[in-house]
Structure formats: structure tokens, C-alpha cells
Amino acid sequence: MAVAVVFFMIGLAMYPGYYEAFAVRKAVNSLGEDSTIGLMGKPAVWALLEKRFDMSGLYTPTPTKESLKLGYDKKTGKKSIVVEYDYSKPVFANISVMMHFRHELQVEGTVPGEL
């Protein structure tokens, strides 16, 4: 019975992290609907993500502006938008759960500084 209680407590601690990760993934993927996203820099992309977080009800999401990374692959001409962050939640006493999430979107884009 004690083992079942421990797993239940861990599951309860993990649920909000997965719920948030689903909303963050949805926000990142929805950026692909904007035809100008490949031309935007980090501040503009983050502003769009924040709006989408608010619409999803994530008013204090775990990902921060530092979690956002933009990259460019010269071979394919694709820009990558990556949100990578860790979610940590205490379970009881000195035991916590920590989960790592990475959400990536590839879009047609430009090299930073080409605009």
C-alpha cells in the first residue's frame, strides 16, 4: 500500500508538468501558422509565444525567454525554433521530480542579420 501511495504522489507531482508541456508544444507548433515567423528575431518570436501562453492559461509558464533558441541550417534553409526547459516539483520531504522538455519547430527562414 505504501508503494502505491508513493507512486500516486509522484504522479500527482508530474501531472502539471505534462499539462504545461502540452500547452507549450501547442504554442510552439502554432507559430508555424504565421507565414512571417521565419523572418522574426528572438524578441518577436518570444512575444508571440507569450501571447499564446496567455491564451492557453499559462500565465506563469516554466519556460523563460532564455529557454528559447533560434537556429539556422544553411544546407536546408530552415530556421529552427526550440523551447527547451526543465520542470521541477517537490513531492515530499527532500524528494522531487524533475522533467526535461524540448519542443522544436522547423520553418522557412533567414539568417539572423539578413533583414
Side-chain angles (χ1 to χ4, degrees), residues 27-57:
V28 170
N29 289 341
S30 71
L31 291 175
E33 298 169 4
D34 188 339
S35 61
T36 62
I37 195 72
L39 304 173
M40 295 181 185
K42 187 174 179 176
V45 172
W46 182 252
L48 287 176
L49 275 175
E50 281 187 314
K51 287 180 187 176
R52 285 166 169 77
F53 291 159
D54 285 346
M55 291 181 350
S56 296

mmCIF file of all heavy atoms in Angstrom, residues 27-57:
data_model
loop_
_atom_site.group_PDB
_atom_site.id
_atom_site.type_symbol
_atom_site.label_atom_id
_atom_site.label_comp_id
_atom_site.label_asym_id
_atom_site.label_seq_id
_atom_site.Cartn_x
_atom_site.Cartn_y
_atom_site.Cartn_z
ATOM 1 N N ALA A 27 1.654 25.810 -28.372
ATOM 2 C CA ALA A 27 2.025 27.192 -28.687
ATOM 3 C C ALA A 27 3.164 27.239 -29.697
ATOM 4 O O ALA A 27 3.126 28.023 -30.652
ATOM 5 C CB ALA A 27 2.414 27.939 -27.407
ATOM 6 N N VAL A 28 4.172 26.394 -29.515
ATOM 7 C CA VAL A 28 5.309 26.366 -30.442
ATOM 8 C C VAL A 28 4.846 25.925 -31.827
ATOM 9 O O VAL A 28 5.183 26.543 -32.837
ATOM 10 C CB VAL A 28 6.435 25.452 -29.914
ATOM 11 C CG1 VAL A 28 7.494 25.217 -30.972
ATOM 12 C CG2 VAL A 28 7.065 26.050 -28.658
ATOM 13 N N ASN A 29 4.053 24.867 -31.890
ATOM 14 C CA ASN A 29 3.576 24.382 -33.185
ATOM 15 C C ASN A 29 2.679 25.386 -33.889
ATOM 16 O O ASN A 29 2.669 25.472 -35.116
ATOM 17 C CB ASN A 29 2.853 23.045 -33.025
ATOM 18 C CG ASN A 29 3.799 21.918 -32.704
ATOM 19 O OD1 ASN A 29 4.999 22.017 -32.928
ATOM 20 N ND2 ASN A 29 3.271 20.849 -32.158
ATOM 21 N N SER A 30 1.935 26.183 -33.121
ATOM 22 C CA SER A 30 1.046 27.170 -33.743
ATOM 23 C C SER A 30 1.833 28.319 -34.380
ATOM 24 O O SER A 30 1.294 29.039 -35.214
ATOM 25 C CB SER A 30 0.047 27.717 -32.728
ATOM 26 O OG SER A 30 0.686 28.566 -31.793
ATOM 27 N N LEU A 31 3.101 28.474 -34.005
ATOM 28 C CA LEU A 31 3.925 29.510 -34.640
ATOM 29 C C LEU A 31 4.107 29.218 -36.130
ATOM 30 O O LEU A 31 4.304 30.133 -36.923
ATOM 31 C CB LEU A 31 5.294 29.602 -33.966
ATOM 32 C CG LEU A 31 5.335 30.152 -32.550
ATOM 33 C CD1 LEU A 31 6.750 30.061 -31.997
ATOM 34 C CD2 LEU A 31 4.822 31.568 -32.486
ATOM 35 N N GLY A 32 4.043 27.965 -36.513
ATOM 36 C CA GLY A 32 4.196 27.582 -37.912
ATOM 37 C C GLY A 32 3.086 28.108 -38.805
ATOM 38 O O GLY A 32 3.245 28.166 -40.022
ATOM 39 N N GLU A 33 1.960 28.499 -38.214
ATOM 40 C CA GLU A 33 0.853 29.044 -38.988
ATOM 41 C C GLU A 33 1.120 30.471 -39.454
ATOM 42 O O GLU A 33 0.450 30.962 -40.351
ATOM 43 C CB GLU A 33 -0.431 29.001 -38.158
ATOM 44 C CG GLU A 33 -0.844 27.597 -37.781
ATOM 45 C CD GLU A 33 -1.951 27.562 -36.751
ATOM 46 O OE1 GLU A 33 -2.460 28.638 -36.378
ATOM 47 O OE2 GLU A 33 -2.303 26.454 -36.308
ATOM 48 N N ASP A 34 2.084 31.149 -38.820
ATOM 49 C CA ASP A 34 2.432 32.530 -39.183
ATOM 50 C C ASP A 34 3.464 32.496 -40.306
ATOM 51 O O ASP A 34 4.572 32.002 -40.126
ATOM 52 C CB ASP A 34 2.993 33.253 -37.958
ATOM 53 C CG ASP A 34 3.189 34.739 -38.183
ATOM 54 O OD1 ASP A 34 3.287 35.172 -39.350
ATOM 55 O OD2 ASP A 34 3.242 35.471 -37.181
ATOM 56 N N SER A 35 3.102 33.030 -41.463
ATOM 57 C CA SER A 35 3.994 32.966 -42.628
ATOM 58 C C SER A 35 5.245 33.825 -42.473
ATOM 59 O O SER A 35 6.220 33.620 -43.184
ATOM 60 C CB SER A 35 3.232 33.381 -43.888
ATOM 61 O OG SER A 35 2.775 34.712 -43.759
ATOM 62 N N THR A 36 5.255 34.773 -41.550
ATOM 63 C CA THR A 36 6.420 35.653 -41.373
ATOM 64 C C THR A 36 7.324 35.219 -40.223
ATOM 65 O O THR A 36 8.293 35.909 -39.921
ATOM 66 C CB THR A 36 5.961 37.107 -41.126
ATOM 67 O OG1 THR A 36 5.201 37.151 -39.916
ATOM 68 C CG2 THR A 36 5.140 37.624 -42.288
ATOM 69 N N ILE A 37 7.029 34.085 -39.593
ATOM 70 C CA ILE A 37 7.793 33.670 -38.412
ATOM 71 C C ILE A 37 9.266 33.450 -38.735
ATOM 72 O O ILE A 37 10.140 33.705 -37.914
ATOM 73 C CB ILE A 37 7.159 32.415 -37.755
ATOM 74 C CG1 ILE A 37 7.711 32.213 -36.349
ATOM 75 C CG2 ILE A 37 7.383 31.181 -38.591
ATOM 76 C CD1 ILE A 37 7.222 33.197 -35.353
ATOM 77 N N GLY A 38 9.579 33.020 -39.946
ATOM 78 C CA GLY A 38 10.967 32.780 -40.329
ATOM 79 C C GLY A 38 11.797 34.037 -40.442
ATOM 80 O O GLY A 38 13.022 33.987 -40.443
ATOM 81 N N LEU A 39 11.136 35.182 -40.533
ATOM 82 C CA LEU A 39 11.840 36.455 -40.643
ATOM 83 C C LEU A 39 12.041 37.137 -39.291
ATOM 84 O O LEU A 39 12.767 38.119 -39.201
ATOM 85 C CB LEU A 39 11.052 37.401 -41.558
ATOM 86 C CG LEU A 39 10.746 36.883 -42.960
ATOM 87 C CD1 LEU A 39 9.819 37.851 -43.681
ATOM 88 C CD2 LEU A 39 12.017 36.661 -43.738
ATOM 89 N N MET A 40 11.393 36.628 -38.262
ATOM 90 C CA MET A 40 11.407 37.284 -36.950
ATOM 91 C C MET A 40 12.632 36.899 -36.140
ATOM 92 O O MET A 40 13.158 35.800 -36.262
ATOM 93 C CB MET A 40 10.152 36.911 -36.166
ATOM 94 C CG MET A 40 8.882 37.406 -36.766
ATOM 95 S SD MET A 40 7.507 36.915 -35.718
ATOM 96 C CE MET A 40 6.148 37.488 -36.713
ATOM 97 N N GLY A 41 13.033 37.811 -35.287
ATOM 98 C CA GLY A 41 14.112 37.562 -34.341
ATOM 99 C C GLY A 41 13.567 37.024 -33.032
ATOM 100 O O GLY A 41 12.355 36.860 -32.851
ATOM 101 N N LYS A 42 14.464 36.789 -32.098
ATOM 102 C CA LYS A 42 14.098 36.189 -30.811
ATOM 103 C C LYS A 42 13.072 37.011 -30.027
ATOM 104 O O LYS A 42 12.104 36.437 -29.528
ATOM 105 C CB LYS A 42 15.358 35.957 -29.974
ATOM 106 C CG LYS A 42 15.111 35.188 -28.712
ATOM 107 C CD LYS A 42 16.411 34.864 -27.988
ATOM 108 C CE LYS A 42 16.147 34.120 -26.704
ATOM 109 N NZ LYS A 42 17.371 33.717 -26.028
ATOM 110 N N PRO A 43 13.207 38.344 -29.918
ATOM 111 C CA PRO A 43 12.210 39.099 -29.147
ATOM 112 C C PRO A 43 10.793 38.990 -29.731
ATOM 113 O O PRO A 43 9.822 38.850 -28.991
ATOM 114 C CB PRO A 43 12.711 40.547 -29.200
ATOM 115 C CG PRO A 43 14.170 40.439 -29.484
ATOM 116 C CD PRO A 43 14.330 39.220 -30.338
ATOM 117 N N ALA A 44 10.687 39.033 -31.048
ATOM 118 C CA ALA A 44 9.368 38.952 -31.678
ATOM 119 C C ALA A 44 8.769 37.549 -31.529
ATOM 120 O O ALA A 44 7.572 37.411 -31.265
ATOM 121 C CB ALA A 44 9.470 39.325 -33.158
ATOM 122 N N VAL A 45 9.594 36.532 -31.675
ATOM 123 C CA VAL A 45 9.107 35.155 -31.515
ATOM 124 C C VAL A 45 8.652 34.933 -30.078
ATOM 125 O O VAL A 45 7.594 34.351 -29.827
ATOM 126 C CB VAL A 45 10.196 34.130 -31.917
ATOM 127 C CG1 VAL A 45 9.766 32.716 -31.561
ATOM 128 C CG2 VAL A 45 10.504 34.235 -33.403
ATOM 129 N N TRP A 46 9.433 35.425 -29.104
ATOM 130 C CA TRP A 46 9.055 35.259 -27.703
ATOM 131 C C TRP A 46 7.755 35.994 -27.405
ATOM 132 O O TRP A 46 6.908 35.487 -26.655
ATOM 133 C CB TRP A 46 10.159 35.721 -26.759
ATOM 134 C CG TRP A 46 9.771 35.489 -25.330
ATOM 135 C CD1 TRP A 46 9.425 36.427 -24.409
ATOM 136 C CD2 TRP A 46 9.630 34.224 -24.676
ATOM 137 N NE1 TRP A 46 9.086 35.829 -23.217
ATOM 138 C CE2 TRP A 46 9.207 34.473 -23.358
ATOM 139 C CE3 TRP A 46 9.817 32.912 -25.077
ATOM 140 C CZ2 TRP A 46 8.968 33.456 -22.436
ATOM 141 C CZ3 TRP A 46 9.572 31.892 -24.156
ATOM 142 C CH2 TRP A 46 9.157 32.176 -22.862
ATOM 143 N N ALA A 47 7.561 37.182 -27.969
ATOM 144 C CA ALA A 47 6.315 37.930 -27.749
ATOM 145 C C ALA A 47 5.112 37.133 -28.259
ATOM 146 O O ALA A 47 4.068 37.082 -27.599
ATOM 147 C CB ALA A 47 6.386 39.288 -28.428
ATOM 148 N N LEU A 48 5.261 36.504 -29.418
ATOM 149 C CA LEU A 48 4.172 35.661 -29.942
ATOM 150 C C LEU A 48 3.918 34.457 -29.036
ATOM 151 O O LEU A 48 2.763 34.090 -28.798
ATOM 152 C CB LEU A 48 4.501 35.190 -31.360
ATOM 153 C CG LEU A 48 4.412 36.225 -32.466
ATOM 154 C CD1 LEU A 48 4.875 35.618 -33.792
ATOM 155 C CD2 LEU A 48 2.993 36.740 -32.592
ATOM 156 N N LEU A 49 4.988 33.847 -28.545
ATOM 157 C CA LEU A 49 4.820 32.705 -27.638
ATOM 158 C C LEU A 49 4.107 33.126 -26.350
ATOM 159 O O LEU A 49 3.222 32.410 -25.869
ATOM 160 C CB LEU A 49 6.171 32.086 -27.298
ATOM 161 C CG LEU A 49 6.717 31.066 -28.283
ATOM 162 C CD1 LEU A 49 8.117 30.636 -27.878
ATOM 163 C CD2 LEU A 49 5.808 29.860 -28.395
ATOM 164 N N GLU A 50 4.487 34.274 -25.795
ATOM 165 C CA GLU A 50 3.837 34.747 -24.568
ATOM 166 C C GLU A 50 2.339 34.953 -24.776
ATOM 167 O O GLU A 50 1.542 34.621 -23.903
ATOM 168 C CB GLU A 50 4.481 36.046 -24.086
ATOM 169 C CG GLU A 50 5.782 35.831 -23.357
ATOM 170 C CD GLU A 50 6.311 37.102 -22.739
ATOM 171 O OE1 GLU A 50 6.320 38.157 -23.418
ATOM 172 O OE2 GLU A 50 6.714 37.048 -21.567
ATOM 173 N N LYS A 51 1.955 35.499 -25.930
ATOM 174 C CA LYS A 51 0.525 35.674 -26.223
ATOM 175 C C LYS A 51 -0.178 34.325 -26.263
ATOM 176 O O LYS A 51 -1.277 34.168 -25.744
ATOM 177 C CB LYS A 51 0.337 36.401 -27.551
ATOM 178 C CG LYS A 51 0.680 37.859 -27.508
ATOM 179 C CD LYS A 51 0.476 38.498 -28.861
ATOM 180 C CE LYS A 51 0.972 39.923 -28.859
ATOM 181 N NZ LYS A 51 0.870 40.533 -30.190
ATOM 182 N N ARG A 52 0.454 33.362 -26.877
ATOM 183 C CA ARG A 52 -0.140 32.026 -26.963
ATOM 184 C C ARG A 52 -0.193 31.347 -25.592
ATOM 185 O O ARG A 52 -1.134 30.620 -25.294
ATOM 186 C CB ARG A 52 0.622 31.183 -27.973
ATOM 187 C CG ARG A 52 0.284 31.591 -29.403
ATOM 188 C CD ARG A 52 1.271 31.014 -30.387
ATOM 189 N NE ARG A 52 0.865 31.161 -31.761
ATOM 190 C CZ ARG A 52 0.947 32.284 -32.475
ATOM 191 N NH1 ARG A 52 1.410 33.389 -31.901
ATOM 192 N NH2 ARG A 52 0.562 32.329 -33.731
ATOM 193 N N PHE A 53 0.820 31.592 -24.748
ATOM 194 C CA PHE A 53 0.779 31.053 -23.391
ATOM 195 C C PHE A 53 -0.415 31.629 -22.630
ATOM 196 O O PHE A 53 -1.121 30.910 -21.929
ATOM 197 C CB PHE A 53 2.066 31.375 -22.620
ATOM 198 C CG PHE A 53 3.298 30.660 -23.116
ATOM 199 C CD1 PHE A 53 4.553 31.162 -22.816
ATOM 200 C CD2 PHE A 53 3.216 29.506 -23.875
ATOM 201 C CE1 PHE A 53 5.696 30.513 -23.244
ATOM 202 C CE2 PHE A 53 4.356 28.844 -24.315
ATOM 203 C CZ PHE A 53 5.598 29.353 -23.996
ATOM 204 N N ASP A 54 -0.629 32.944 -22.758
ATOM 205 C CA ASP A 54 -1.761 33.578 -22.082
ATOM 206 C C ASP A 54 -3.086 32.991 -22.555
ATOM 207 O O ASP A 54 -3.993 32.766 -21.756
ATOM 208 C CB ASP A 54 -1.750 35.089 -22.308
ATOM 209 C CG ASP A 54 -0.686 35.801 -21.495
ATOM 210 O OD1 ASP A 54 -0.135 35.184 -20.559
ATOM 211 O OD2 ASP A 54 -0.395 36.972 -21.796
ATOM 212 N N MET A 55 -3.198 32.755 -23.856
ATOM 213 C CA MET A 55 -4.439 32.197 -24.396
ATOM 214 C C MET A 55 -4.655 30.768 -23.897
ATOM 215 O O MET A 55 -5.790 30.323 -23.788
ATOM 216 C CB MET A 55 -4.419 32.230 -25.926
ATOM 217 C CG MET A 55 -4.505 33.634 -26.462
ATOM 218 S SD MET A 55 -4.531 33.876 -28.257
ATOM 219 C CE MET A 55 -4.162 32.364 -28.993
ATOM 220 N N SER A 56 -3.577 30.056 -23.587
ATOM 221 C CA SER A 56 -3.687 28.683 -23.073
ATOM 222 C C SER A 56 -3.907 28.648 -21.565
ATOM 223 O O SER A 56 -4.105 27.582 -20.999
ATOM 224 C CB SER A 56 -2.410 27.902 -23.389
ATOM 225 O OG SER A 56 -2.236 27.769 -24.761
ATOM 226 N N GLY A 57 -3.825 29.796 -20.912
ATOM 227 C CA GLY A 57 -3.993 29.845 -19.468
ATOM 228 C C GLY A 57 -2.693 29.665 -18.702
ATOM 229 O O GLY A 57 -2.705 29.497 -17.491
#
